[in-house]
Amino acid sequence: MTTSQTPAPANVLSQDELKTLVGQAALQYVVPGEIVGVGTGSTVNKFIDALATIKDQIKGAVSSSVASTERLQALGIPVFDSNAVDRLSVYIDGADEIDGAGNMVKGGGAALTREKIVAAQSAKFVCIADESKLVQTLGKFPLPVEVIPMATQRIIAQFAAKGGVGKVRLKDGKPLVTDNGQYIVDVTGLQITDPLAFEAEVSQWPGVVTVGVFAYQRAQVCLLGTASGVKTLTF
Ligand code: 5RP
């Protein structure tokens, strides 16, 4: 991993301001005249706001969630179906955790399946995050897994055999239903020391739609908001 740094303004920045900073910094990776892949979450919302300031210079976006689509469209950025678009040069998204090799845990916003699809369609993944997301080993943040509802209890049992505790994510007291009509299981207590092997194994369990480990679709660049400015990590 290599790092470089852009100094921050002199005053102490809040987490929200750090998100704004990395959202704006991500504009340098947007290719003029092209369609950009757009992730989901509070950091990406800052990127979408920044993208709106250069919307006349791009063709539009492929979005990873209903929420991002609504925000993009409200700001006048055309949203394309992923099937109507060939290869994307760049995908910009946040993460719940990122390690020193660009492997990530994602899905805190329940959009992991479409995020992985758009990331797989993109030549480069640029992760935008504040420095609290940088970890040595993935597993501190509960691991989101999108599952087919009828497989939920067996998948929770399979994680228990690995030392993890899985819980169905709730919203207003009921299982949260994703944009794809499925459930999310959040798993705590895991130490994901080999992200590629872990992703490959769990992805094959019947009923798993998507596991929130992004090792096959890991980041090539991370713009990290720190007290001393935006740090660029390249992997
Ligand atoms: C959504 C995600 C987000 O990228 C992740 O949860 C980070 O979100 P935020 O920028 O709000 O911290 O994976 O499914």
Side-chain angles (χ1 to χ4, degrees):
M1 174 176 84
T2 56
T3 60
S4 63
Q5 183 128 347
T6 309
N11 55 332
V12 176
L13 297 174
S14 67
Q15 197 184 27
D16 195 61
E17 288 167 326
L18 290 178
K19 289 180 182 186
T20 302
L21 215 58
V22 292
Q24 289 169 345
L27 288 183
Q28 66 189 291
Y29 291 91
V30 174
V31 183
E34 289 197 6
I35 296 170
V36 58
V38 175
T40 299
S42 57
T43 316
V44 164
N45 283 345
K46 306 291 191 184
F47 168 65
I48 294 174
D49 295 347
L51 193 62
T53 67
I54 61 155
K55 66 181 175 194
D56 297 338
Q57 296 169 42
I58 59 164
K59 249 183 163 163
V62 170
S63 166
S64 61
S65 63
V66 171
S68 288
T69 297
E70 286 173 351
R71 195 176 187 96
L72 287 157
Q73 288 176 334
L75 290 167
I77 300 169
V79 176
F80 291 82
D81 186 308
S82 60
N83 289 303
V85 176
D86 202 18
R87 195 103 174 107
L88 299 169
S89 295
V90 68
Y91 176 64
I92 314 254
D93 198 358
D96 301 306
E97 291 186 327
I98 182 162
D99 71 12
N103 301 299
M104 294 165 286
V105 163
K106 291 184 45 54
L112 63 164
T113 296
R114 296 188 189 192
E115 291 173 342
K116 210 174 258 192
I117 291 168
V118 187
Q121 194 176 355
S122 306
K124 181 181 275 185
F125 190 133
V126 176
C127 174
I128 48 176
D130 67 79
E131 68 183 335
S132 67
K133 307 290 182 72
L134 187 61
V135 297
Q136 206 135 44
T137 306
L138 302 179
K140 203 171 67 175
F141 187 88
L143 173 69
V145 185
E146 185 163 356
V147 303
I148 304 282
M150 72 173 283
T152 303
Q153 290 311 318
R154 183 184 36 76
I155 289 167
I156 287 175
Q158 284 188 265
F159 277 115
K162 284 185 164 298
V165 177
K167 287 207 168 83
V168 176
R169 193 181 298 182
L170 302 179
K171 189 181 176 193
D172 303 326
K174 291 193 223 128
L176 176 145
V177 178
T178 68
D179 288 351
N180 311 306
Q182 314 301 340
Y183 289 177
I184 298 284
V185 170
D186 290 304
V187 188
T188 53
L190 298 169
Q191 284 273 303
I192 304 167
T193 52
D194 186 345
L196 263 184
F198 186 94
E199 182 180 7
E201 182 194 343
V202 175
S203 297
Q204 291 183 50
W205 293 355
V208 168
V209 178
T210 302
V211 58
V213 171
F214 281 51
Y216 285 92
Q217 271 75 44
R218 67 181 167 276
Q220 281 73 48
V221 176
C222 179
L223 302 176
L224 205 63
T226 75
S228 47
V230 177
K231 231 187 221 175
T232 303
L233 316 180
T234 48
F235 312 102

